[in-house]
Amino acid sequence: MAEAASKARAAQQGVWRDDATLTGLTLESIDIIAEERLVLPKLFRRLADYLAVNDGDPDFSGFLPHMDTHGGRVIRTDTSAVTGFGNVLHVDGQTVKLVLNPSELIFLK
């Protein structure tokens, strides 16, 4: 399944055509992830949780610290390292993206 997803992602087919998980999602409001852009469901839930506890304010200055306690754990298949989900994300201002393909991660929680 991971191979088929990787091929579809590379060809920009289906949902991968609109997916911003790896290219970066600039978040200005909940509407961006709720109605306009697609991201990995795990990332969607973490962004929605963060916006909820941050009273809808999309200021990402506290997002990675929030992820340290609420992000869950992943196994990187490239190194077999167990790490926090926040450690495989990159935040630049209002833009967040996953730095590894989802197929390179095993989500633990």
Side-chain angles (χ1 to χ4, degrees):
M1 188 150 92
E3 183 179 333
S6 293
K7 286 180 181 178
R9 185 181 306 109
Q12 294 291 300
Q13 295 175 328
V15 298
W16 302 112
R17 179 182 55 246
D18 300 317
D19 182 60
T21 302
L22 296 172
T23 58
L25 170 77
T26 301
L27 189 64
E28 297 163 350
S29 72
I30 188 78
D31 293 340
I32 300 295
I33 57 172
E35 300 174 14
E36 297 177 22
R37 298 298 306 269
L38 296 174
V39 292
L40 182 75
K42 176 86 168 187
L43 180 56
F44 172 87
R45 289 189 305 273
R46 295 306 173 257
L47 289 168
D49 290 346
Y50 179 71
L51 288 172
V53 299
N54 211 27
D55 294 324
D57 184 353
D59 175 9
F60 273 160
S61 62
F63 182 63
L64 290 178
H66 174 80
M67 292 296 291
D68 287 343
T69 56
H70 298 84
R73 310 283 291 160
V74 297
I75 299 172
R76 294 178 55 145
T77 60
D78 61 338
T79 63
S80 299
V82 178
T83 189
F85 184 47
N87 293 327
V88 295
L89 297 174
H90 175 75
V91 174
D92 182 16
Q94 292 305 113
T95 302
V96 62
K97 68 180 180 178
L98 190 65
V99 297
L100 296 173
N101 283 321
S103 61
E104 297 175 293
L105 300 171
I106 299 170
F107 295 90
L108 300 175
K109 181 179 169 188

